[in-house]
Amino acid sequence: MTSLPSIRAIQSFVAAGRKGSFLEAAAQLQLTPSAISHQIRLMEDDLGEKLFHRIGRNVSLTEIGERYHRDLSEALSMIEQATDEVCRRNSVDVLSVGCASSLASLWLMPRLPRFEELYPSIEIRLLSTSDPAKLSDGSVDVDICYGSAPRLGSIAAEEFPLETIVVACSPEVANGERPIRKPSDLVGHTLIKSEQTLYSWQQWAKDHGLAIDVNRGARFRDAFMAIATAVEGRGVCLESYRLLERDVERGNLVLPFGMTGPNLRCHTLTYVRSRLRSEKVNAFKQWLENVWLEDAASAEMRARG
């Protein structure tokens, strides 16, 4: 097997070829000119080829040296890039966050850039899933699950603020051939259902004293799919305003009955108590609580205005 030159020899050769001078290459690498000359001489001896024409204090690449310089320059650049990437990863603290899929896509992800601005040294690894993550196996640092979570021994659970469950549909559906202005107007409309829900259409119909065929319409496991279907004008959904907010603000959805609906605790932040000593976990928890307060303030302003 051919003996490979050392990294120091490659660096010396590439620098000297680029500068056309052993002296300038030595200054760049913080070596002596004799050290540069020695490294290149060893390389030439091993290869059995002259790599430089030596003209006084200046040097120029031979024909073989030019080809070799081009290839080694590219290889050295790749090594430097790979090393920089590893160093950057080592300087970033990765925080693994599990999150209920609908909340992740519709609420958390749009807000994460704000966290990244505040904590550039923390990199979020988001695991979006319909099932609660297993904190005990270390796959995630924190988990935001749908519904309540028991406080068991080492696992801490903090509930999100109350979420209002509202009726939503596209403007075209609300103002179509069968306008929706009062609850009884939903009779005959297609109802979009989420299988994972704390408040069903059956409960809604019972609360409003209505006999509605709740079996008609599409059925989805996750809320974000039900909401997307409502945006397309394919029916009426019943979801948390926290998940609907962006589409309502953009005019994709309207709330025919306004912000009337039950207030429920729909999401819970869980984490291993001992991990709260971790700077990244504590930072995320504190940031999340601040976002909750901002959301609550915005909701209060909407209610007033």
Side-chain angles (χ1 to χ4, degrees), residues 23-295:
L23 183 62
E24 292 185 29
Q28 177 183 322
L29 298 177
Q30 297 183 336
L31 298 172
T32 64
S34 61
I36 296 290
S37 179
H38 177 69
Q39 291 289 344
I40 292 173
R41 183 75 67 185
L42 289 176
M43 184 181 285
E44 289 178 327
D45 290 343
D46 288 341
L47 293 171
E49 296 285 352
K50 288 291 184 183
L51 300 175
F52 286 99
H53 297 296
R54 290 160 175 79
I55 310 168
R57 292 187 176 181
N58 296 322
V59 294
S60 63
L61 290 163
T62 63
E63 184 177 347
I64 290 176
E66 287 180 358
R67 293 200 300 269
Y68 197 44
H69 186 272
R70 181 180 61 249
D71 293 339
L72 286 192
S73 294
E74 183 177 343
L76 184 60
S77 178
M78 291 176 64
I79 293 171
E80 290 172 346
Q81 290 176 14
T83 304
D84 287 344
E85 178 67 20
V86 171
C87 290
R88 281 198 302 273
R89 286 188 178 276
N90 287 339
S91 66
V92 172
D93 205 357
V94 178
L95 175 71
S96 295
V97 178
C99 187
S101 54
S102 294
L103 189 74
S105 61
L106 299 174
W107 185 83
L108 182 58
M109 286 179 64
R111 289 165 171 78
L112 282 182
R114 292 159 54 187
F115 178 85
E116 292 165 352
E117 289 179 6
L118 291 171
Y119 302 97
S121 63
I122 301 176
E123 180 180 295
I124 296 289
R125 174 181 173 267
L126 183 60
L127 174 65
S128 174
T129 176
S130 298
D131 302 313
K134 295 180 180 179
L135 290 166
S136 57
D137 67 7
S139 58
V140 296
D141 296 300
V142 298
D143 183 47
I144 305 172
C145 60
Y146 183 66
S148 60
R151 295 167 173 79
L152 298 174
S154 63
I155 305 298
E158 297 186 24
E159 294 176 325
F160 267 50
L162 294 172
E163 302 179 36
T164 305
I165 310 301
V166 296
V167 172
C169 60
S170 69
E172 292 76 17
V173 170
N175 303 309
E177 295 180 359
R178 289 176 294 169
I180 302 174
R181 300 291 182 265
K182 56 185 183 299
S184 60
D185 291 337
L186 287 186
V187 175
H189 274 278
T190 298
L191 305 182
I192 304 167
K193 294 168 284 296
S194 300
E195 293 181 353
Q196 288 193 335
T197 182
L198 300 178
Y199 186 73
S200 67
W201 275 115
Q202 286 93 335
Q203 292 169 291
W204 185 91
K206 181 180 179 180
D207 289 344
H208 289 82
L210 297 172
I212 297 178
D213 184 2
V214 296
N215 295 315
R216 295 177 62 245
R219 184 183 299 273
F220 299 99
R221 176 177 171 83
D222 296 306
F224 74 88
M225 292 185 283
I227 293 170
T229 303
V231 169
E232 292 175 359
R234 293 167 52 194
V236 183
C237 69
L238 180 67
E239 300 293 348
S240 164
Y241 183 76
R242 176 163 286 141
L243 304 181
L244 298 166
E245 184 175 10
R246 281 202 308 162
D247 281 307
V248 172
E249 290 179 348
R250 293 172 178 176
N252 299 328
L253 293 173
V254 295
L255 310 180
F257 312 137
M259 290 291 292
T260 59
N263 295 314
L264 305 177
R265 295 200 181 278
C266 298
H267 294 92
T268 306
L269 171 69
T270 61
Y271 53 90
V272 177
R273 296 180 191 278
S274 61
R275 291 185 188 172
L276 198 56
R277 293 193 293 268
S278 165
E279 183 177 345
K280 63 183 179 182
V281 172
N282 190 53
F284 184 76
K285 175 179 175 292
Q286 294 297 327
W287 172 79
L288 201 58
E289 290 173 352
N290 289 334
V291 173
W292 294 344
L293 292 174
E294 292 172 7
D295 279 6

